[in-house]
Each structure stands twice: as C-alpha cells, then as structure tokens.
Amino acid sequence: MDASNRDVVSPQWSEWHSTEWRSVIIRVRRLQVRIAKATMECNWRKVKQLQRLLTRSTSAKALAIKRVTENRGSKTPGIDGVVWSTPKAKMLALSNLSTRDYKAKPLRRIHIPKANGGKRPLGIPTMGDRAMQALYLLALEPVSETTGDGNSYGFRPHRSTQDAMAQCCNALSRQNSPQWILEGDIKGCFDNISHEWLLNHVPLERPVLKQWLKAGFVELRKLFPTDSGTPQGGIISPVLANLALDGMEGMLKKHFPRRRKVNFIRYADDFVVTATDPETLETAKRLIRNFLAERGLELSEQKTKITHINDGFDFLGWTFRKLKGKWRMTPSQKNQKRFYANVRDVVRTHRASSQDVLISKLIPVIRGWGMYHKHVSATRTFNQVDHKIWYLLWRWAQRRHPNKGRRWIKRRYWSRIKSRDWVFVSRGLELFRLSRIRCNRHLKIRSDANPYDPADEVYFENRVKRNMIEQAKAKINRIWLAQKGKCPICQELITQQTTWDIHHKVWKSLGGGDEDANLVLLHMNCHKQVHARGCTTWPPAWLKGQA
C-alpha cells in the first residue's frame, strides 16, 4: 500500500459513539500538512490530488459532520427542516455524504440586527450542505493559511482582533512611526464578490464551489437567485472572502518603497493602511480600488477616509490616538455605549427577577466585554463603567422597593466583604466588577506562523497555553495543565475556541466529588462518547486499547 492510500484508510464504524476520534484526527491532519507543504512549493497539481484524497476520506467526512453538529448553529435547520441531533442521524449522514452528483439546496434567508441599527442578511444552509462545506474547508484551509496575507487577522485559526490591535500598536506607536492612516471599509463584501473570480482563482473543485455560489436563497417562500457574493452563514464563506482579499498587502509592499512606511492591517473587510503623508495614501486608495474592482468589490465612500494619528481613529472597537506625542489605545465611545445599552437591556428584562438570576445573566456580559478590552489602556474606562452599572442596579433596587429607605436597600442587596463595600451579591454569587481586571499587553502572533506547518507546532501550543492561563478560571487552569492541555480521548488541544466539558472520573451519582483529582476536561463530543459507552471508571477500558 502506498503512502497516499494509507492516509485515507478509515475504520468501519458500527455506531457514531464508537468512532476513534484520535485516529480520525491524525489521518486528516497528516493530509492537511501535506497540502500545506505542496502549497509552499507551489505544486498545485499535487495540492489538487491531495485535496481530492481528503474530501473522499471517510475520516474527513466524519470530522466535518462532527463540526456542524457541535457548533452554535447545530440546532438551526435549513429549508428542509432537518437537524442531526442523534447518533443514528449522524451515522446516516456519514453514509450519505458524497461528492458524486452533489447538488446544493437553496439557503434559508433570515435577517439579524447590526450594531448600527440595520439588518444583516444571513443565509442558513441545510445540514447536508453545511457538512459538505466543512468537508471542503478541511482541504481549503491549509492553502488559505499558507498563501494568506501576513497581517490579515479575521476568520483565521489562532488569530484574533487583539492581534490586529497589537499590529496597529507596532506600526503607529513609535516616535518615528507614520502619522497618516487610511481607514478602509469594503462595501457589501460578502454580498458582491464576483463568482467568476472565485471560480477561476479558488483552488477547489469548480463544480462543487459553483453549487454553493449559485444555490440561491428562499425568503418569504420565494426562491431568489444569487449572481454574486458568498452567503453569510456558510461555514466556508469567510475563507472564500479571505482568499478574494489576500494579496492586497503584497501589492502595496511591491508598489511602495520601505521609506514610505506603508503598513497594512486587515480584519475581515475592515482594513487600515499607514503612510508618512496623505498623498501616499491617496495612491494606495487608488491601487486598492483597482484591486477590488477585479473581484467585483468597491470601497465604501462613507466609511473610507484619511485621518491623522493626532485626531485618532476607531478600529475593531478601540480608539487609537496620539495625545501630545504619547500613544493611547482605549475602548471606543461607540463600543462603550453599545455595551452599556446591552447591560441596561438585561437589567430591564429581569426587573422582576431575583437578584441571583440577574447576577447570573450579567456576569457573562460584563466579563466578556472586560476581557475583550483588557489589552488596552482601559483601567479608567473600567472604573467609569463600573459606576454606571452600580447606578443602574441602584435604580433597579429602588424600583422594587419604592417605600423603603436607602439604608434598607443597601443592606438588602449590597454587602461588605472584607475591605470591599457595596458588593452586589446574593446566595454567594457576586457580580463581576470590571475594575478587578488587570490590563496587560497582548502578545501578537507571528505574521508568518502557519498552524499547518510542523515547524510551528510548539509555537502554537505555547500560545494556547498562554491564552488559557490568561482567560480561564484558576481551577480550570489547574486541571488543564495537569492533562497537558489535551483532551484524553482524542489527544487534540483544548482551547477557548474548541470549548470543553468538565467530566467526573467517578460519576457524582456514584459518589464522586468536585475535587481536582476527580475532574477532567473533555471536548463536548468526547464527553458524550464517554457517557454513551457507560464508562464509570477512569481511564476507560477502550481508551487503554487505543493507546
């Protein structure tokens, strides 16, 4: 048996929960690494061959089904009303998932609210189409990660808005840094990308890609065709958009000499270009407009503008500015207002709820916003927002007891814990305070780092470890470090993105406790697998057999 065939040998499963995910992930990962290597060598014929092997692999199909049945939209059906919620349905989907005579179904169109008050169209594919997109994404992502712009940070594994923010700091914070900024925004990026350009340039099977692009959508029981754009809601759509926009940074670097200090930072369809003078940015704007026109896109004239660093600019929820020569990064006023409106809506919705219910609803909202902004100068902002939230809760309490005095209301809802007074707490559940967050600088990802390059394996493992230590709770960190950051079932890394479940080695129904020694972190699907097999001892007997 040659190496190519050995990569796609798949076990014959009798049921979904008997799948050996460790072996499945190893097979798929091996092929993805080979695709990335062939892409680095510009051997596109070999890339095509390896992609074909991967998309015909039973292991890759199982992994695709696993992804679409675990993500946030797994319970939202397409136009056929079908969801894969049982192991039997997943096994049936695995046997039916085939590229032969594949025909995509139209999307179910819904509209979700945008931050500016408008509505964003969202296309929901059927479960079968989602699984097919996830399958081909396994083959396409190694290519996009290898060929992508170094300073593109949107919809890419291991990259985040914080990395884009740190790159803005690197490009603009020094005394000799460029002072002029082009704030760019692409008008209707997802809705207007040229289908012809995608079909001619995306390294994917053309008939399958054409099915997704031309599937159309259903709204108010009417079928509408799609002549351009990629549907927002499809798993593969962000990668297609990135492939369409990649090359912009290289074009600018090729055109401008280094002394012009032209830097490019992009997150999805928002980007920033820096230069030493506005004339250079006008030229860059013209070049970018021509670059986008080839792909059926255009710049938004309202949102695209040239500003000086002393005036400041907003990007990804932060304000970047120099005040008297000193660099400042703070949460933007728009972002603060949006967050406060969100908190106010939660309080209004729970004006008749008990205090502990209100606290449980507010904690994830407040903590999530605070952790997003912890890498900028947000200490003063956190204190101000804490005060606004306190006043909002004080009004909430007064409304509940209009005939009680201030001292009675304070004793009823606020307590003193050690040296801290005015602690909003109920039944041991304490409201999270933004002022408790310690602000520190984010360690930016290397621009040339590739998650599909074996040479960067240790680098990404260290970044995952650092991220977990910063964001997870102390008890979770202790358990995570004890198992070396990996799920014992599938041996894949447990990260903030993959999420996890806490499993009791000795089940609580059998007398197990919540001490660290009795807890283990598992991926959600692996946790279901352990319980489906009725493994009441640890480690499971079948896991020893895999080892």
Side-chain angles (χ1 to χ4, degrees):
M1 183 182 295
D2 61 17
S4 298
N5 291 330
R6 191 164 55 248
D7 279 338
V8 294
V9 171
S10 301
Q12 297 298 320
W13 301 302
S14 58
E15 58 180 15
W16 183 256
H17 286 309
S18 66
T19 306
E20 296 179 3
W21 290 112
R22 182 178 178 183
S23 302
V24 166
I25 292 170
I26 288 174
R27 290 190 188 98
V28 174
R29 180 73 180 182
R30 186 186 298 129
L31 269 176
Q32 287 180 314
V33 169
R34 292 175 62 190
I35 291 172
K37 182 179 178 182
T39 305
M40 294 176 194
E41 297 169 351
C42 295
N43 190 344
W44 298 107
R45 183 176 180 180
K46 188 174 183 180
V47 168
K48 186 177 180 179
Q49 293 173 345
L50 293 171
Q51 285 181 326
R52 185 177 177 84
L53 281 173
L54 182 59
T55 54
R56 270 65 175 177
S57 165
T58 308
S59 294
K61 292 177 181 178
L63 207 57
I65 293 172
K66 179 175 180 286
R67 174 171 180 174
V68 300
T69 54
E70 288 183 0
N71 60 20
R72 292 177 59 185
S74 60
K75 297 180 181 179
T76 305
I79 62 168
D80 57 0
V82 174
V83 293
W84 299 335
S85 56
T86 63
K88 185 177 179 180
K90 296 172 187 177
M91 283 303 298
L92 183 63
L94 179 60
S95 61
N96 293 334
L97 192 65
S98 173
T99 57
R100 184 179 300 174
D101 299 326
Y102 168 68
K103 184 171 179 60
K105 294 181 179 179
L107 309 172
R108 181 165 70 91
R109 172 66 66 89
I110 63 173
H111 296 269
I112 58 175
K114 295 172 65 176
N116 59 8
K119 295 265 183 150
R120 186 189 305 277
L122 193 67
I124 302 177
T126 63
M127 292 298 292
D129 292 333
R130 273 180 256 179
M132 190 64 72
Q133 289 187 22
L135 174 62
Y136 276 86
L137 180 60
L138 292 172
L140 184 60
E141 199 169 61
V143 178
S144 65
E145 284 300 302
T146 304
T147 61
D149 288 342
N151 289 306
S152 165
Y153 300 98
F155 306 119
R156 296 180 65 182
H158 298 281
R159 299 189 178 218
S160 64
T161 53
Q162 283 77 13
D163 292 309
M165 172 268 294
Q167 180 61 21
C168 288
C169 180
N170 292 344
L172 296 166
S173 62
R174 299 178 180 86
Q175 288 186 350
N176 60 347
S177 295
Q179 303 293 303
W180 291 92
I181 302 98
L182 170 66
E183 303 174 60
D185 182 83
I186 301 170
K187 185 177 180 180
C189 178
F190 281 88
D191 298 328
N192 297 310
I193 299 177
S194 168
H195 284 181
E196 195 61 33
W197 190 93
L198 290 174
L199 290 169
N200 291 333
H201 294 86
V202 174
L204 205 63
E205 292 184 37
R206 186 184 175 101
V208 176
L209 179 58
K210 189 173 183 178
Q211 284 290 321
W212 297 330
L213 297 177
K214 303 295 185 181
F217 64 91
V218 173
E219 187 173 15
L220 300 176
R221 298 186 179 182
K222 292 183 179 180
L223 177 63
F224 297 89
T226 48
D227 299 320
S228 62
T230 62
Q232 296 187 55
I235 291 177
I236 205 169
S237 297
V239 177
L240 295 178
N242 271 337
L243 285 169
L245 298 178
D246 282 335
M248 207 182 301
E249 181 178 9
M251 175 202 65
L252 294 175
K253 286 185 176 180
K254 185 177 180 180
H255 189 273
F256 295 104
R258 289 190 64 181
R259 67 175 181 274
R260 296 286 184 92
K261 299 181 180 179
V262 174
N263 299 292
F264 177 84
I265 305 106
R266 179 171 67 85
Y267 188 91
D269 58 347
D270 296 328
F271 62 87
V272 170
V273 183
T274 70
T276 54
D277 55 83
E279 291 76 18
T280 300
L281 293 180
E282 288 290 351
T283 305
K285 184 178 178 180
R286 189 185 72 253
L287 291 171
I288 292 172
R289 187 179 285 115
N290 295 335
F291 177 91
L292 295 175
E294 297 177 7
R295 292 150 175 81
L297 301 171
E298 60 180 343
L299 290 175
S300 171
E301 295 300 330
Q302 293 180 340
K303 298 181 181 179
T304 302
K305 54 187 177 180
I306 297 175
T307 56
H308 194 272
I309 191 60
N310 291 342
D311 299 325
F313 67 97
D314 290 352
F315 186 53
L316 302 176
W318 295 294
T319 296
F320 302 88
R321 189 179 182 184
K322 275 188 177 179
L323 286 173
K324 299 180 180 179
K326 292 185 178 180
W327 175 248
R328 291 287 304 277
M329 297 185 297
T330 57
S332 68
Q333 289 295 324
K334 288 183 180 179
N335 192 271
Q336 292 180 48
K337 290 179 180 178
R338 194 179 307 131
F339 166 70
Y340 181 73
N342 192 11
V343 172
R344 186 178 55 206
D345 289 342
V346 173
V347 174
R348 284 179 178 175
T349 304
H350 295 85
R351 54 193 168 196
S353 303
S354 61
Q355 184 182 7
D356 54 322
V357 171
L358 176 62
I359 293 174
S360 66
K361 297 296 181 181
L362 284 175
I363 285 176
V365 176
I366 297 173
R367 190 176 189 273
W369 187 80
M371 297 303 287
Y372 182 83
H373 292 290
K374 67 176 288 188
H375 299 295
V376 299
S377 303
T379 303
R380 180 177 295 179
T381 302
F382 286 167
N383 290 329
Q384 292 171 349
V385 174
D386 269 343
H387 178 72
K388 289 182 179 180
I389 294 174
W390 172 87
Y391 185 67
L392 192 65
L393 295 174
W394 179 256
R395 290 170 56 194
W396 172 85
Q398 282 186 318
R399 180 188 177 277
R400 294 167 69 91
H401 306 283
N403 299 324
K404 295 293 185 180
R406 295 180 179 180
R407 292 183 180 180
W408 186 94
I409 293 175
K410 179 185 181 299
R411 287 195 302 268
R412 173 69 176 79
Y413 294 104
W414 281 268
S415 302
R416 185 180 184 89
I417 299 178
K418 295 182 179 179
S419 61
R420 293 188 297 120
D421 200 2
W422 291 94
V423 179
F424 196 69
V425 61
S426 174
R427 299 181 184 179
L429 189 62
E430 180 184 336
L431 184 67
F432 185 83
R433 286 188 177 184
L434 291 169
S435 55
R436 292 171 52 188
I437 298 176
R438 295 181 60 184
C439 296
N440 53 34
R441 289 301 171 95
H442 175 75
L443 182 63
K444 191 185 84 70
I445 191 172
R446 274 197 355 247
S447 297
D448 61 345
N450 187 344
Y452 297 100
D453 187 349
D456 291 330
E457 187 81 16
V458 176
Y459 172 77
F460 281 106
E461 288 182 355
N462 290 335
R463 284 191 63 83
V464 169
K465 180 178 179 181
R466 180 187 178 93
N467 186 47
M468 286 290 292
I469 291 174
E470 284 185 355
Q471 297 191 26
K473 295 180 179 179
K475 188 169 186 175
I476 298 296
N477 273 328
R478 291 197 302 270
I479 302 169
W480 188 85
L481 290 171
Q483 57 193 63
K484 298 181 180 179
K486 294 184 177 181
C487 173
I489 304 300
C490 64
Q491 292 299 309
E492 282 294 292
L493 284 174
I494 294 175
T495 67
Q496 295 283 349
Q497 288 71 36
T498 61
T499 68
W500 61 84
D501 282 344
I502 299 177
H503 174 68
H504 292 76
K505 297 177 181 178
V506 179
W507 294 8
K508 295 196 77 173
S509 58
L510 300 177
D514 290 326
E515 62 275 8
D516 290 5
N518 192 47
L519 301 179
V520 61
L521 301 182
L522 305 176
H523 290 129
M524 293 173 63
N525 188 76
C526 296
H527 192 207
K528 291 178 182 178
Q529 189 176 27
V530 169
H531 279 271
R533 292 192 174 192
C535 302
T536 57
T537 59
W538 192 265
W542 52 272
L543 188 61
K544 296 177 183 177
Q546 284 188 34

